[in-house]
Amino acid sequence: MEIRAAKLRTVDLPREVSVKVLGVFENEILDMIDEKPDLIAVDCSGLEQVTSSHINALWLAYLYCKEAGVEISIASPSEGLIRVLKLMDLHDLFMFDHDTIKTRMRKAVRSISSEYTSTYADEFMADVDNINLAMVRFLEFIKVYGLTEIAEFELKTVFYEVATNIRNHSGITDKELIVFTARKNESKITMVFADSGKPFDISGFQIGFNPHQAGLSKQKRGFGLELIHRLLSTIDYKRLDNVINVLTLEKELE
Amino acid sequence: MDQSISSEIIDDYTAVIVTGSELDNNNAHEMFEVIAEKQSKGHFRIIIDMQKLEFLSSAGVGSIIGTVETSRENGGEIILCGLSPTIEHILSVLDLDDYLTIAKDKETALTLSRETSK
């Protein structure tokens, strides 16, 4: 299992920047800096109009990051934002990522298993409620496959355990996204999860579980990875651009 | 979603714990605490009634496995009852169906509890 410190944090630049919203944005940046990320990406994809408040927010974010020695990039900037930053001689202070992290995650999950027709795609924030809601949506979808009750339950369990594992171990915040797709052919279902947390490879986990030993040692944790591995046929992990974790899971259907 | 956990004292040695429809990461710690609290008061025969349980995560499994030996060391047992086929399946995937004591329903579990406890 590989766990390294390299990590990215993403934050949305608010559309409407009131004093209160600016305060929240500042706190988000400061909280992220406390986590000592390698890079903070400010996602500007939601911006329709650029105001001086937006520029102030970016300037503040830049100052905080510079002071803390954290790199900052602007993700998915509009032409208007770039123009304003150039006019104010601020353009060269930032790195620019014209493909948002979200877009890169979506592309990553959709490019895998491309031989299948894309049948299901979802993205959800990594908090408990949104994971549960996403699981319910996925369950509604897999009903169309006409699987057995046991097979449906196994897929539900895999979804929950993997999403919860990402939430608990990849270091992403409740507001960051997990991107998910599922595809099915006659004999198997392929599920792909992508997140922008720190590298977390569960594919190398060794099955060696002894239930009696677990009981005797009063073991409370560590059942999740065992369960995931026992319920799946294959697990593949990739780290893309040192930014995105992509977990591809296959389950043979009987 | 029903994540409630309730309990009932049967006698000085026996307690019944009833789960809601879910036992997952959100309430697994509570389940562990409820079982441990019963054991700390000498209730080492514990029936866990899972009749309403529809989803059991790995954390939920851990909350039970982590307490079984404490009961056994003290002459008691933890007995699961009312399991749906899907919950039983998850336990069997982890090979825990052989390790845990499982009864069909609460009455059977209570009878079994008296028989198996020392």
Side-chain angles (χ1 to χ4, degrees):
Chain A
M1 192 175 299
E2 181 193 13
I3 301 175
R4 287 188 281 117
K7 59 184 177 186
L8 165 95
R9 285 285 172 267
T10 59
V11 58
D12 290 336
L13 184 66
R15 262 190 206 183
E16 305 292 334
V17 187
S18 63
V19 174
K20 188 179 171 188
V21 171
L22 186 59
V24 172
F25 176 74
E26 271 186 74
N27 285 336
E28 281 182 312
I29 294 282
L30 289 170
D31 286 346
M32 287 179 181
I33 286 173
D34 283 345
E35 294 173 35
K36 299 184 171 42
D38 298 307
L39 171 72
I40 291 178
V42 182
D43 189 339
C44 298
S45 58
L47 224 58
E48 287 168 358
Q49 286 187 321
V50 183
T51 67
S52 58
S53 300
H54 294 121
I55 303 302
N56 282 340
L58 288 172
W59 174 242
L60 273 176
Y62 167 76
L63 289 179
Y64 287 137
C65 287
K66 189 181 178 194
E67 191 180 333
V70 174
E71 286 200 277
I72 183 168
S73 77
I74 292 180
S76 197
S78 65
E79 285 182 14
L81 177 61
I82 290 175
R83 206 161 42 239
V84 172
L85 289 170
K86 280 182 177 171
L87 274 171
M88 300 185 77
D89 285 334
L90 297 172
H91 179 267
D92 294 342
L93 299 178
F94 297 95
M95 294 187 295
F96 287 87
D97 180 354
H98 294 271
D99 227 1
T100 64
I101 300 302
K102 290 174 194 171
T103 306
R104 286 156 75 182
M105 286 201 288
R106 287 180 196 129
K107 281 181 183 171
V109 295
R110 284 167 192 169
S111 67
I112 292 171
S113 312
S114 56
E115 69 268 30
Y116 302 113
T117 307
S118 180
T119 53
Y120 184 76
D122 195 5
E123 51 190 51
F124 47 94
M125 286 191 283
D127 61 301
V128 170
D129 289 342
N130 275 298
I131 286 174
N132 284 331
L133 288 171
M135 184 170 71
V136 170
R137 289 194 294 271
F138 178 53
L139 278 177
E140 283 173 6
F141 175 74
I142 58 176
K143 293 280 178 204
V144 303
Y145 291 154
L147 305 174
T148 63
E149 187 185 7
I150 293 289
E152 281 185 7
F153 195 78
E154 288 185 345
L155 290 171
K156 175 183 178 177
T157 300
V158 167
F159 184 97
Y160 180 86
E161 295 293 341
V162 171
T164 302
N165 213 52
I166 291 170
R167 168 183 161 73
N168 291 341
H169 300 295
S170 77
I172 57 175
T173 65
D174 283 355
K175 290 183 176 178
E176 288 179 87
L177 280 181
I178 297 173
V179 176
F180 173 76
T181 65
R183 300 176 170 90
K184 179 186 171 296
N185 70 8
E186 283 178 12
S187 62
K188 68 184 175 188
I189 182 162
T190 304
M191 293 172 279
V192 185
F193 289 83
D195 68 83
S196 57
K198 65 186 177 187
F200 190 70
D201 179 6
I202 66 167
S203 64
F205 177 80
Q206 297 292 315
I207 297 180
F209 180 68
N210 179 325
H212 291 264
Q213 195 55 47
L216 285 171
S217 60
K218 301 182 183 178
Q219 182 180 329
K220 285 194 290 179
R221 298 174 193 280
F223 298 96
L225 288 180
E226 187 71 32
L227 194 52
I228 291 167
H229 275 259
R230 289 189 181 206
L231 290 173
L232 293 167
S233 321
T234 62
I235 299 177
D236 179 62
Y237 169 79
K238 284 189 176 66
R239 180 77 173 165
L240 300 181
D241 305 331
N242 203 27
V243 172
I244 297 169
N245 296 312
V246 182
L247 202 54
T248 306
L249 317 169
E250 287 187 345
K251 179 165 182 56
E252 300 288 341
L253 299 170
E254 291 172 7
Chain B
M1 289 192 299
D2 173 11
Q3 299 200 324
S4 64
I5 296 170
S6 59
S7 61
E8 173 193 0
I9 303 300
I10 302 296
D11 58 37
D12 288 350
Y13 307 102
T14 315
V16 174
I17 296 171
V18 182
T19 70
S21 62
E22 294 184 344
L23 183 54
D24 61 17
N25 291 41
N26 297 322
N27 59 351
H29 183 69
E30 183 189 351
M31 173 58 101
F32 181 83
E33 292 296 323
V34 170
I35 298 173
E37 189 257 343
K38 299 294 172 230
Q39 291 172 327
S40 72
K41 292 181 178 169
H43 300 106
F44 293 108
R45 294 175 189 164
I46 295 175
I47 316 295
I48 303 181
D49 186 346
M50 296 181 156
Q51 199 174 359
K52 287 189 245 170
L53 194 63
E54 295 170 8
F55 184 67
L56 175 65
S57 79
S58 62
V61 171
S63 70
I64 295 168
I65 299 301
T67 60
V68 171
E69 284 307 312
T70 301
S71 274
R72 290 180 181 172
E73 286 164 1
N74 290 279
E77 181 59 290
I78 288 183
I79 302 177
L80 313 186
C81 68
L83 280 66
S84 68
T86 48
I87 300 296
E88 202 157 355
H89 175 70
I90 287 300
L91 295 176
S92 75
V93 167
L94 284 169
D95 293 328
L96 287 168
D97 48 346
D98 286 340
Y99 173 73
L100 292 165
T101 305
I102 297 172
K104 185 184 171 191
D105 52 35
K106 185 176 159 186
E107 292 313 310
T108 313
L110 283 167
T111 306
L112 192 61
S113 164
R114 290 182 201 108
E115 287 170 0
T116 55
S117 299
K118 295 163 192 167

